[in-house]
Amino acid sequence: MPYRPEDHPTESADSNPRSPRSIEQRLVTHLLQAARACAQLLTPHHRVLPRPLLGRPVEPLRFTNRHEALAWLEAIAPAVGPAMITAVDQGDPAVACALASDLWPLFHYHRDVPMWIIVYEAGLRAALRWGEPMAIREMSSALALGLVAAARHTEAATHYSRAAALAHAAGDRSGVAQYTSGIGAALHDAELYDQAQSFLGEAFSLYSDLDDRRGTGLAGMLLASAAARQGYVDFALPILRMARADLTSLQPLDPLNAARALAYLGEGYSLAGQHDLAAATLVQARREFAELGHHHWIARTTEFLGQAAERSGQQDVARGWYTASLNQYTVLASTRDEKRLNDRLAALLAS
């Protein structure tokens, strides 16, 4: 059923501004508008769902830079779960879906995986109740990314497949490419690189046909990473360089994904035996993540530096990077990553 503004009036059903329902509605309205302002700064390439018409907050927030937006998101993080419950309880699924969509930068940058899954499971339930295909697609995709972060790869692929089927039905080739790339990303995260390359290659071709530089950059960096980790570095390195160039030249900017491409390029140099270039590239990527305040990718790039040092025979240096990465993951309470780093350190000490 298509979204119609008249289905979402600006006036509250409860005319008393001090009633609990009115207060809850004003809270959700405030979060929606402020979160949307954050999303415009932090994730301008994220697909926007139809906007429900809601009343204006008394004091609408203005953000002048990315750091202000991130600070606000960090501050309101404890209220996200209750806000989603309120949005769902209000019985308007368009509001719940819009709130989940606009909160995407919070999870994109800070990766609270349990809350990520809770929010987008609720968003998907709301989208299915609404019946709006685009909302179902976007809630499915955002949920799938959270499931990948939780190492629930099979479930993630199921949600991506639902989204891809809806995109096929709508004739949306860009959507098909996005969700096909998502399946490939889930397989890449599961270290099923050969299978991942099939989906990522398909997405890369679709994006290339559409002349979508951001899409080809995102699919390409994982396609090349999968190839490099299987030993095909001569194939991988030109694609990684192209991905970095494409993602760096976007307008509006996408600095997080540009930095990710640089990190994978550094890993590619390491796998190719170009150790000095690998270290310099990874240090630069780590610096870019630090400027963005993306703590997970700081830790991930620190781990890449440890792997690069280990490949070059610098065991003491590798141990230092691995220990730093482990400490960073511990602060983030990322138990999956902590286990992997503990295993790396144990293997290094045993060698």
Side-chain angles (χ1 to χ4, degrees), residues 104 108 111 145 148 181 185-186 188-189 200 214 217-223 225 229 240 243-244 247-248 254-268 281-282 284-286 288-289 292 294 296-298 300-301 304:
W104 170 243
H108 191 50
R111 294 175 65 90
L145 277 166
V148 169
S181 182
H188 180 281
D189 190 78
L200 292 165
R214 181 174 184 270
L218 292 174
M221 71 178 172
L222 291 182
L223 172 65
S225 169
R229 292 180 185 186
L240 286 167
R244 167 66 175 179
L247 292 167
T248 303
D254 190 356
L256 176 55
N257 283 314
R260 288 178 63 221
L262 189 63
Y264 282 119
L265 178 58
E267 183 190 46
T281 302
L282 289 168
Q284 175 60 30
R286 191 169 180 268
E288 291 183 17
F289 289 124
L292 293 169
H294 199 293
H296 174 84
W297 267 100
I298 294 170
R300 189 80 176 99
T301 310
F304 280 1

Side-chain angles (χ1 to χ4, degrees), residues 159-182:
H159 289 295
Y160 276 130
S161 295
R162 177 201 293 115
L166 288 170
H168 270 295
D172 180 0
R173 296 177 68 208
S174 179
V176 172
Q178 175 188 344
Y179 308 129
T180 302
S181 182

